[in-house]
Amino acid sequence: MFTEENFQSYASETKLVVTAKTHLADGVVSLNLAHPAGRRLPDWTPGSHIDVVLPSGINRQYSLCGDRWDAHNYRIAVLHERDGRGGSEFIHHGLTEGTTLAVGGPRNNFRLVPSEKYLFIAGGIGITPMLPMIQSAHMMGADWKLLYFGRSRRTMAFLDELAAYGDRVMIVPKDQAGPRSASDLIGPASVDTKVYVCGPQRLLAAVERHCADWQPGLLRLEHFAAKSHGAPIRDASFDVELARAGLTVTVQPEVSVLEAIQRAGVRMLTSCREGTCGTCEVTVLGGQPDHRDSILSDADRAAGNCMFPCVSRSCGDRLVLDV
Amino acid sequence: MTTIISDPKTPCTDVDPFSRDVLEDPLPFQSELRAAGPVVYLNKYDVYAMGRYGEVQAALTDWQTFQSAAGVGLSNFRKEMPWRPPSLLLEADPPHHDAPRALLTKILGPREIRKLAESWTADAEELVDQVLSRGPEFDAVADLAAAFPLRVFPDAVGIPQAGRENLLPYGDHAFNAFGPPNELVAKGAARVPELSASIASQCAREVLTTDGFGAQIWAAADRGDITEAQAPLIVRSLLTAGVDTTVNGLAAVLYAFATNPGQWARLRDNPALSRTAFDEAVRFESPVQTFFRTTTRDIEVGGTLIPEGRKILMFLGSANRDPRRWDNPDTFDLNRDPSGHVGFGFGIHQCVGQHIARLEASTLLEVLARRIESIEICGPTRRHHNNTLRAWQSLPVRVKTSSTFTRK
């Protein structure tokens, strides 16, 4: 058995069975996943996600929203995205109980840090990572509140589970409450409160704007969709030395570092290809990466010793990777 | 003491696993333990024990059922006051365990510590030069196994010079204190206030250098990834868990090579085996022999019902010698893949400093393999007794330096 820390090399190797598919709200289903032989699943922490490889080969990340004290079942919840690329359409209308799926991870880019007080903010399906965070905060005796935004109560999942927490939870359905801005509800910064946000891009952006002058470390966001970055720092080609393979590849402006590595015949495990999942993380031995992912913190970026070659590039004319 | 009558089908024993005889050579007792059954009741301490690989590994993995937060020693923190504030890593379970663990996983990860390799190689070369310059005979414990970690690790943490002499006595007492209150614990008790104060003073932000693991832990508190109150206790975990264990791990691998000359020749042919060699030595000697867990619910293991709230002694050393899992377990063999040994524990509490230990060991071994053609025991060896550690007091060795080697 392996833990979250050393699980990376097993990613996409584990096959799990859909043991239950449940309608949770309009456009939201949950899946329960278990090992076909009933084995214990790898440990995870609040904020963790898994990669789910669908039969078509496409790969999606979903936050684990079940109970980590139950080592035999994972629960994820999936929103039907009508303008999506087919993943949620398949899960909602093609996938049946008994189907086997390849699962990678878990991996955590959205860790819960200790605090006396928390404000959790969820928009729509962004509620999923918040459920285990709330459970943890509650067990540690923290003072916490949840703001849960959605279009209407009919589309908002887990309202029954959240009801048990009483008035710590504030449900904000747009059709009843009207469009309430997150800023009005968040209020001013408080040094003893950590704010966790997950949801649609416009909610994240609104909260980020509201908290722009807060001290670092108080606001913590999960990007399901990739952050937008400006143009790369360098517009010319650059060389990437693959230290273990003993190869150097030239990366042209229109090609990702990952593609250049793969074209050179070096295998590398990848998943989202947009810098949100962390699967392709590599160690940087030399040179300075131009980070273009949605995962690393400012401190991680400054350290400069790892990067995600699916999106990140080089600031200089040479990078040395532990590949 | 009220004795709860054990399940009558469960084998039991009157042997004291913390007695002098067993600490001197635990292997015969461990063999009997494995033969007796998957779960054995220890009459003397009114606790259960597991000695087979399968059950030990499964229990270490199942943190939900076999908790650490009630203490990983005999003392039950649900009923008794710990002798020091509990460790946030070793003596905590999720969710309290999550943030300290995530932080140390990162700080002590292979990527982060790679930058230490170069200077540690230079340190190893200097130390080995010094030792060899005094002649071909020396004590592999005092002169290498203890000297090398004490030279590199406190610097890596960033603690001051003053007080470093307290690291080994403090660690020795901390590991004794996981056992029963026997004479080994009594021996260390007198110095506890002084040693605890010394170690605590090393964990303060203002005494730590700005570039070590200690400073990184405090920087995490500044970022809000841990609390200010947690930072010194996390530094303390490095100082408690990072010295005696590595010293005895290094002693184990040096002893294994001194008594298996063919394996030493293999390492010299292929120094890249140094990492395998260290893990095989950790399997073979299990520097950390035992840890307790406490049940959070009634659980049946191998036909024995262990009630909720009971202490179970996990014999890591015994699991690592279990013939059900290992071929020729009593052989130190570089051909073996030692992966999966439980010498570093397993699951969410698995040793977070294992990459540091491997780096220390492989650095020293690679330098020794270049310099030393053969190594043999040349005098009476002596064990050091500790309730948790399988430790060495003295390993007198004679070496033949490599004739092909020239330096400077």
Side-chain angles (χ1 to χ4, degrees):
Chain A
M1 190 44 62
F2 20 79
T3 63
E4 185 176 270
E5 293 161 14
N6 61 17
F7 186 70
Q8 294 222 354
S9 57
Y10 292 84
S12 303
E13 301 287 328
T14 306
K15 305 272 190 202
L16 299 183
V17 177
V18 178
T19 53
K21 177 177 168 182
T22 312
H23 173 87
L24 291 183
D26 281 2
V28 183
V29 293
S30 73
L31 301 182
N32 191 82
L33 303 170
H35 193 278
R39 275 192 224 136
R40 196 186 154 91
L41 302 178
D43 290 312
W44 56 282
T45 46
S48 294
H49 68 260
I50 54 171
D51 299 327
V52 176
V53 185
L54 299 173
S56 62
I58 58 173
N59 212 314
R60 291 288 177 268
Q61 284 80 44
Y62 298 104
S63 294
L64 291 171
C65 60
D67 177 6
R68 62 194 289 213
W69 273 263
D70 173 359
H72 294 88
N73 296 285
Y74 284 163
R75 181 172 72 167
I76 58 173
V78 180
L79 171 70
H80 186 206
E81 298 192 62
R82 291 177 205 287
D83 304 323
R85 291 173 289 173
S88 69
E89 169 66 27
F90 172 78
I91 288 174
H92 273 255
H93 297 122
L95 186 67
T96 54
E97 290 178 9
T99 305
T100 300
L101 297 171
V103 169
R107 228 174 262 110
N108 196 340
N109 302 325
F110 192 37
R111 288 187 181 278
L112 187 69
V113 298
S115 183
E116 285 170 27
K117 292 184 183 176
Y118 297 97
L119 174 61
F120 298 107
I121 303 173
I125 199 66
I127 189 66
T128 50
M130 300 301 170
L131 294 175
M133 287 192 183
I134 286 169
Q135 186 192 19
S136 266
H138 210 70
M139 287 181 74
M140 291 195 285
D143 182 3
W144 63 270
K145 286 201 179 342
L146 167 71
L147 297 177
Y148 181 10
F149 295 92
R151 281 187 289 118
S152 76
R153 295 184 74 96
R154 283 186 299 109
T155 64
M156 297 171 77
F158 303 114
L159 294 180
D160 49 341
E161 287 179 31
L162 292 168
Y165 292 116
D167 61 6
R168 287 186 179 277
V169 174
M170 183 174 178
I171 308 290
V172 195
K174 195 172 172 184
D175 64 349
Q176 287 173 13
R180 299 277 299 271
S181 90
S183 295
D184 296 344
L185 296 170
I186 297 171
S190 154
V191 288
D192 58 358
T193 304
K194 300 276 193 319
V195 180
Y196 278 80
V197 197
C198 185
Q201 200 64 37
R202 63 175 189 287
L203 174 70
L204 299 185
V207 175
E208 266 185 308
R209 269 197 310 279
H210 178 80
C211 306
D213 57 353
W214 288 17
Q215 80 180 52
L218 292 182
L219 174 64
R220 291 167 190 249
L221 309 102
E222 162 106 294
H223 287 271
F224 265 127
K227 261 187 193 173
S228 60
H229 293 272
I233 288 173
R234 181 185 173 84
D235 54 14
S237 68
F238 53 91
D239 285 345
V240 174
E241 181 184 334
L242 311 177
R244 267 188 282 149
L247 288 173
T248 296
V249 298
T250 300
V251 183
Q252 301 296 341
E254 68 281 5
V255 169
S256 71
V257 174
L258 175 70
E259 285 165 319
I261 292 172
Q262 289 179 329
R263 283 180 193 180
V266 176
R267 285 186 56 180
M268 180 168 277
L269 193 65
T270 74
S271 176
C272 72
R273 295 194 171 228
E274 57 177 25
T276 57
C277 77
T279 307
C280 64
E281 177 176 341
V282 295
T283 298
V284 177
L285 301 173
Q288 197 187 349
D290 172 12
H291 292 292
R292 305 182 61 73
D293 61 88
S294 308
I295 301 165
L296 295 178
S297 68
D298 292 345
D300 293 330
R301 275 159 214 269
N305 55 13
C306 77
M307 70 178 263
F308 303 94
C310 65
V311 289
S312 296
R313 306 190 66 82
S314 177
C315 295
D317 55 15
R318 191 173 186 84
L319 271 183
V320 186
L321 302 181
D322 186 26
V323 171
Chain B
M1 186 167 72
T2 45
T3 300
I4 298 156
I5 305 300
S6 148
D7 189 328
K9 297 187 301 293
T10 306
C12 55
T13 176
D14 289 323
V15 175
D16 175 3
F18 302 99
S19 66
R20 288 280 170 173
D21 287 350
V22 176
L23 294 181
E24 177 66 24
D25 179 8
L27 301 180
F29 170 71
Q30 291 175 359
S31 177
E32 289 162 22
L33 186 71
R34 288 190 302 266
V39 175
V40 177
Y41 187 75
L42 303 179
N43 292 329
K44 183 171 168 73
Y45 297 111
D46 184 25
V47 300
Y48 296 86
M50 293 184 192
R52 294 184 185 175
Y53 180 87
E55 285 76 17
V56 169
Q57 197 262 7
L60 292 173
T61 306
D62 184 1
W63 56 268
Q64 290 95 336
T65 306
F66 298 93
Q67 71 165 163
S68 294
V72 297
L74 177 62
S75 165
N76 187 338
F77 293 179
R78 297 190 203 170
K79 301 172 188 159
E80 297 164 64
M81 177 84 168
W83 68 281
R84 56 173 201 171
S87 160
L88 300 179
L89 278 302
L90 193 62
E91 296 159 331
D93 289 311
H96 300 91
H97 176 260
D98 295 339
R101 175 76 192 191
L103 173 64
L104 282 192
T105 298
K106 186 160 186 201
I107 292 177
L108 304 178
R111 184 170 77 220
E112 298 285 330
I113 66 171
R114 182 178 293 113
K115 56 182 177 281
L116 295 168
E118 202 176 317
S119 71
W120 283 11
T121 298
D123 281 322
E125 281 171 348
E126 204 177 296
L127 176 68
V128 170
D129 270 351
Q130 284 167 4
V131 172
L132 295 180
S133 71
R134 294 198 296 264
E137 291 187 9
F138 55 88
D139 190 327
V141 173
D143 297 337
L144 291 178
F148 188 61
L150 284 173
R151 185 176 178 125
V152 298
F153 186 69
D155 278 353
V157 178
I159 61 170
Q161 288 292 333
R164 289 187 183 190
E165 69 282 3
N166 293 326
L167 288 171
L168 284 174
Y170 179 78
D172 190 44
H173 182 72
F175 283 101
N176 273 327
F178 292 124
N182 57 16
E183 77 273 13
L184 291 170
V185 179
K187 176 194 74 177
R191 290 192 67 198
V192 165
E194 169 214 347
L195 293 175
S196 294
S198 167
I199 296 301
S201 72
Q202 310 263 32
C203 302
R205 180 200 291 260
E206 56 278 9
V207 308
L208 292 159
T209 58
T210 55
D211 57 351
F213 300 139
Q216 291 183 58
I217 290 166
W218 278 101
D222 292 340
R223 291 195 303 273
D225 291 351
I226 53 167
T227 67
E228 295 251 328
Q230 289 176 326
L233 285 174
I234 298 173
V235 180
R236 191 193 70 180
S237 289
L238 295 184
L239 299 179
T240 315
V243 189
D244 296 63
T245 49
T246 344
V247 168
N248 288 302
L250 287 172
V253 75
L254 293 171
Y255 172 74
F257 277 124
T259 49
N260 292 275
Q263 301 298 313
W264 182 251
R266 291 194 58 193
L267 177 73
R268 278 174 55 80
D269 283 345
N270 182 7
L273 284 173
S274 64
R275 295 170 83 81
T276 304
F278 181 62
D279 270 72
E280 169 66 350
V282 171
R283 180 198 70 80
F284 185 69
E285 279 263 303
S286 301
V288 176
Q289 284 276 299
T290 48
F291 270 134
F292 287 86
R293 293 290 189 267
T294 307
T295 47
T296 59
R297 61 187 175 98
D298 295 354
I299 173 88
E300 197 200 299
V301 179
T304 291
L305 180 77
I306 307 174
E308 187 274 339
R310 302 306 304 275
K311 286 270 171 183
I312 306 135
L313 185 50
M314 308 278 165
F315 282 84
L316 311 180
S318 172
N320 283 340
R321 297 268 191 152
D322 184 354
R324 291 165 192 79
R325 169 64 178 80
W326 311 95
D327 293 333
N328 303 314
D330 298 328
T331 311
F332 173 76
D333 181 4
L334 298 192
N335 254 339
R336 182 198 309 280
D337 177 2
S339 306
H341 72 72
V342 293
F344 289 126
F346 225 81
I348 63 168
H349 288 285
Q350 191 177 43
C351 174
V352 74
Q354 59 182 288
H355 305 295
I356 292 278
R358 284 198 190 97
L359 183 62
E360 286 183 32
S362 62
T363 307
L364 184 63
L365 285 176
E366 281 166 29
V367 170
L368 290 171
R370 282 202 297 274
R371 304 289 315 271
I372 292 176
E373 198 170 295
S374 66
I375 177 167
E376 60 180 1
I377 302 289
C378 69
T381 60
R382 257 188 310 135
R383 288 277 177 186
H384 170 78
H385 289 184
N386 180 286
N387 282 333
T388 302
L389 303 172
R390 191 164 193 212
W392 288 102
Q393 184 69 47
S394 176
L395 283 175
V397 294
R398 181 187 302 116
V399 301
K400 189 174 162 203
T401 50
S402 169
S403 51
T404 54
F405 188 87
T406 51
R407 217 180 130 73
K408 283 169 191 162

